[in-house]
Amino acid sequence: MPTLHWVGKDKVVRHHHDVPFKVLKREYRFASAQPAANTSTGNKIIHGDNLEALKALLPEYEGRIQCIYIDPPYNTGNEGWVYNDNVNDPRLLKWLNKVVGKEGEDLSRHDKWLCMMYPRLKLLHRLLAEDGSMWVSIDGNEQASLRLLLDEIFGVNNLVSEIVWQKRVSPANDAKFFSSDHEYIFVYARNKNIFTLNRLERTENQLSNYKNPDGDPRGNWNSVTYTCNKTADERPNLYYGIKNPNTGDIIFPKKTAVWKYDEKKHMENETNNLLFWGMDGKNKAPRMKRFLEGMGNVVPRSIFQYSDFGHTQEARTELLGILENSAFSTTKPVKLISRILEIASNQDSIILDSFAGSGTTAHAVLKLNAQDGGKRKFILVEMMDYAETITAERVRRVMDGYGENPPPPAPLTEGEGSTTPIAGRGSKVVEGLGGGFEYFTLGEALFTENGQLNEAVGVEAILRYVAYSERIADFSCPLTQLRQTDSVLKTESVFPREKEGRCGELPPAKDATGCYYLGETHGVQVYFIYQPDRVTSLDVDLLAQLPVKPGKLVIYADQCLLGEDFMRRHGIIFKKIPRDITRF
Ligand SMILES: C[S@@+](CC[C@H](N)C(=O)[O-])C[C@H]1O[C@@H](n2cnc3c(N)ncnc32)[C@H](O)[C@@H]1O
């Protein structure tokens, strides 16, 4: 298989492992006052670089995202994007924090873009559900490189389609050569063998092809050819004369394209009023009526026409309607993304956009939920400061409603003759869709540079991380810390206080404070014995205090003072803090 090479590739292929795991710091929670029977909660907007944000999402979301849509910088040379990944390599450090320039001026422009994209795509791939798909918008600047990159990360067999989106209505007449009217959208499945997609509801445009000129009681129809591409020699039974009932003419098909049906079936079609001879009834060949009812939804086509999927001008108008004066210029139409979600998500899917810009993906999720009663959730990541003023603000307005209708005219007070309206608020032009989200920034790294737990993140963040890494599905904070006084500890432990040979010299923890039960996963109970300022030990005294049910145990602590044989007999797995905490 052909692969792509570029300056710095050797350094970035494993870079996603080196990215520090940071905890997400919740800044605020927004809940719209609009009643929202259908729309989801549990949405997230993250302000920060998506390399770190995606890593922070891994423990909770690995393998759970049904649909990823991203619209990264296209590397046009005009976007002013900056390479700022701290990869430890002198060639890449030279690029750090410098704006990526234009073709010709910046010979490493494509290398930089590939170095930026590779580790992010690796993390996105891990976040995708086994039956999920990723959709990536791109234009001609990086389309060819991106295809090879995605082939490498997803596997060439998982390419579902390369879509062409017709983004303009009218051509750019000032173009030097061609008016650039399209972009691409790559669609990759995590695993094409199990990936399925939804067919699309017909658009207004498509529905308008179905009419009922003859008032057929079966409803609207359009017509299809009555011939097929077989010859009279190949299908002699399909070559015969049929009579136009309006003109009396006997009509034969061409010998190179005979009728689609034999004479018996044709008679049935005639009896069932399925033949159409043109508006004046005098056509030289019939067509077959095809009724809209019972046709079902349509298969998505690989060309997304602006009439059905929106265009860039429409997208800008949409955004200005919500955020007047917004200077954000690379927004996508809501229609484009909601149609993608129609194809690639179900009503409970989690949808991720890690290059969120003006937040169109969240808008599309909310709109689609309102349309079909779904409970899709969105996660957006945006690194620029406008994550709050544009991304989150747009989502808030879409949830609350936007645009002010003028206030209703004031009632006239008798005898006054004045028509001055009473000061009041008008209603929203576009009604709110309801819902809410949590807004996060990137907090501290969970591990320090020398691999120790960073206590500054707080016990809760550490426990949450470990619980996710152990795949404990119903983990919830705040946790109950098991204390001597907790009644739960008074239950009989399954472990006798048997004396074990100690395998270390350090004293055991004096009490059970710092002992956290994280939950159960596949019949294994998981405990985390942790104190920020003291070494914790797994020993018989501690074990005897755990209210464990019979079954296997995973116990995290700083050290283990139990013998191997004892551990094996009681089905205990010891994991050392921090060494054995999984690094995502
Ligand atoms: C082309 S725009 C996306 C537009 C979006 N689809 C919309 O409809 O508004 C790309 C966005 O990705 C953001 N971005 C670029 N690099 C990023 C990174 N490393 N982390 C997070 N956001 C990033 C940019 O700031 C920009 O807002």
Side-chain angles (χ1 to χ4, degrees):
M1 190 188 98
T3 48
L4 188 65
H5 287 278
W6 66 90
V7 174
K9 180 175 183 181
D10 52 330
K11 292 292 166 193
V12 295
V13 284
R14 294 189 55 75
H15 181 56
H16 58 289
H17 295 294
D18 305 333
V19 176
F21 173 82
K22 289 192 172 170
V23 293
L24 292 177
K25 184 166 165 238
R26 191 171 68 212
E27 300 291 344
Y28 64 85
R29 184 180 271 145
F30 170 80
S32 166
Q34 288 289 319
N38 293 328
T39 206
S40 60
T41 51
N43 303 306
K44 291 185 166 71
I45 299 179
I46 304 167
H47 177 199
D49 191 308
N50 53 20
L51 188 60
E52 290 177 335
L54 293 173
K55 184 99 177 208
L57 289 170
L58 266 184
E60 186 172 355
Y61 291 99
E62 184 169 22
R64 291 183 56 207
I65 308 285
Q66 190 67 31
C67 177
I68 296 174
Y69 169 76
I70 56 166
D71 180 13
Y74 288 178
N75 213 15
T76 57
N78 299 319
E79 294 149 312
W81 75 272
V82 172
Y83 183 80
N84 57 8
D85 293 351
N86 199 0
V87 179
N88 190 13
D89 179 76
R91 292 166 305 177
L92 276 61
L93 286 171
K94 253 192 348 211
W95 301 340
L96 209 57
N97 300 327
K98 296 207 179 100
V99 172
V100 177
K102 289 186 197 305
E103 195 89 78
E105 291 164 18
D106 184 351
L107 297 177
S108 54
R109 171 175 158 235
H110 298 285
D111 304 286
K112 288 174 184 164
W113 190 84
L114 288 161
C115 283
M116 183 274 286
M117 288 301 288
Y118 194 96
R120 289 168 175 80
L121 292 174
K122 286 292 269 190
L123 291 171
L124 287 165
H125 183 247
R126 283 182 63 176
L127 286 162
L128 207 52
E130 194 58 16
D131 59 350
S133 60
M134 180 156 98
W135 301 61
V136 190
S137 278
I138 200 71
D139 76 358
N141 283 284
E142 295 294 356
Q143 178 261 3
S145 313
L146 179 63
R147 167 77 194 266
L148 291 172
L149 206 60
L150 290 167
D151 278 351
E152 186 173 326
I153 293 168
F154 280 74
V156 96
N157 296 334
N158 286 318
L159 173 69
V160 177
S161 187
E162 180 193 276
I163 290 163
V164 171
W165 170 47
Q166 186 191 22
K167 65 174 180 177
R168 273 176 175 282
V169 178
S170 38
N173 275 324
D174 55 352
K176 187 170 172 199
F177 299 117
F178 284 84
S179 165
S180 175
D181 294 346
H182 70 284
E183 287 182 9
Y184 304 92
I185 303 172
F186 284 118
V187 187
Y188 279 77
R190 172 79 203 243
N191 178 353
K192 208 163 96 182
N193 293 330
I194 58 166
F195 173 69
T196 53
L197 51 73
N198 305 320
R199 293 190 163 218
L200 284 169
E201 275 183 25
R202 270 160 230 269
T203 59
E204 288 294 316
N205 206 18
Q206 289 162 336
L207 288 173
S208 68
N209 294 327
Y210 291 80
K211 299 202 163 65
N212 196 352
D214 59 353
D216 195 309
R218 290 165 290 188
N220 286 7
W221 51 271
N222 71 4
S223 66
V224 291
T225 178
Y226 208 63
T227 56
C228 69
N229 60 4
K230 299 289 178 209
T231 66
D233 288 341
E234 287 172 305
R235 295 281 195 279
N237 64 325
L238 300 181
Y239 185 75
Y240 56 91
I242 60 180
K243 187 174 171 185
N244 180 331
N246 308 304
T247 61
D249 293 345
I250 303 293
I251 294 162
F252 280 84
K254 286 186 193 151
K255 288 202 162 168
T256 51
V258 293
W259 302 130
K260 230 185 226 172
Y261 308 98
D262 62 19
E263 275 192 90
K264 183 166 173 264
K265 181 72 184 158
H266 165 67
M267 298 306 283
E268 258 176 57
N269 291 343
E270 239 179 13
T271 314
N272 292 331
N273 183 21
L274 290 176
L275 266 60
F276 175 57
W277 290 93
M279 292 306 281
D280 61 0
K282 294 181 182 165
N283 280 6
K284 290 284 175 228
R287 288 175 68 81
M288 176 88 163
K289 286 181 179 177
R290 200 171 51 174
F291 291 93
L292 179 58
E293 189 163 325
M295 288 283 292
N297 290 345
V298 287
V299 70
R301 303 183 68 174
S302 62
I303 296 184
F304 282 7
Q305 289 177 329
Y306 71 78
S307 47
D308 292 333
F309 291 83
H311 49 85
T312 45
Q313 192 51 47
E314 171 183 325
R316 272 195 283 275
T317 312
E318 253 165 17
L319 184 61
L320 287 172
I322 305 167
L323 296 171
E324 51 304 322
N325 308 324
S326 165
F328 193 86
S329 62
T330 56
T331 184
K332 291 284 188 282
V334 177
K335 221 190 265 175
L336 175 72
I337 303 182
S338 60
R339 299 231 95 194
I340 289 175
L341 300 180
E342 261 183 71
I343 298 170
S345 74
N346 56 48
Q347 294 197 348
D348 296 315
S349 296
I350 305 172
I351 286 123
L352 168 65
D353 179 350
S354 56
F355 291 91
S358 67
T360 315
T361 300
H363 191 162
V365 167
L366 294 167
K367 200 164 171 192
L368 193 57
N369 280 348
Q371 242 166 266
D372 69 4
K375 290 191 166 18
R376 296 169 189 82
K377 297 179 200 303
F378 61 80
I379 303 173
L380 305 185
V381 186
E382 172 55 56
M383 73 174 178
M384 301 300 280
D385 285 345
Y386 55 69
E388 169 54 30
T389 53
I390 295 182
T391 320
E393 183 57 23
R394 176 186 188 167
V395 179
R396 264 193 293 272
R397 291 190 188 192
V398 170
M399 289 176 167
D400 272 349
Y402 54 92
E404 291 284 306
N405 280 319
L412 287 178
T413 320
E414 228 176 292
E416 224 177 55
S418 158
T419 53
T420 317
I422 295 169
R425 286 175 68 81
S427 57
K428 300 285 182 200
V429 175
V430 179
E431 261 185 52
L433 301 175
F437 62 84
E438 291 175 299
Y439 188 90
F440 296 88
T441 51
L442 290 164
E444 304 247 6
L446 191 79
F447 297 98
T448 61
E449 278 185 4
N450 55 14
Q452 295 305 308
L453 276 175
N454 174 9
E455 265 129 32
V457 301
V459 175
E460 188 176 318
I462 295 171
L463 298 175
R464 191 179 286 283
Y465 178 89
V466 177
Y468 285 130
S469 71
E470 289 287 348
R471 308 259 172 229
I472 291 167
D474 52 357
F475 174 76
S476 63
C477 268
L479 281 171
T480 329
Q481 186 179 163
L482 305 176
R483 291 173 193 283
Q484 296 270 22
T485 50
D486 286 346
S487 60
V488 73
L489 274 180
K490 297 194 179 110
T491 58
E492 194 68 1
S493 169
V494 292
F495 294 100
R497 283 180 174 261
E498 85 186 69
K499 279 280 166 242
E500 269 292 311
R502 302 254 159 103
C503 54
E505 287 307 309
L506 287 166
K510 287 202 181 72
D511 58 40
T513 328
C515 175
Y516 298 90
Y517 176 57
L518 300 186
E520 196 171 318
T521 171
H522 299 110
V524 180
Q525 300 156 74
V526 183
Y527 285 86
F528 196 76
I529 322 292
Y530 172 71
Q531 301 238 30
D533 50 1
R534 209 175 61 198
V535 171
T536 60
S537 304
L538 170 58
D539 61 8
V540 265
D541 290 337
L542 182 114
L543 210 49
Q545 293 174 38
L546 298 183
V548 291
K549 296 182 280 178
K552 292 215 163 90
L553 282 174
V554 165
I555 301 178
Y556 285 83
D558 292 312
Q559 62 176 351
C560 176
L561 306 180
L562 300 173
E564 274 179 25
D565 182 48
F566 177 90
M567 303 271 283
R568 209 173 315 107
R569 264 191 290 125
H570 291 288
I572 302 169
I573 296 169
F574 167 70
K575 293 196 178 178
K576 185 167 168 54
I577 300 172
R579 187 194 64 203
D580 295 330
I581 297 179
T582 304
R583 306 299 162 101
F584 282 93

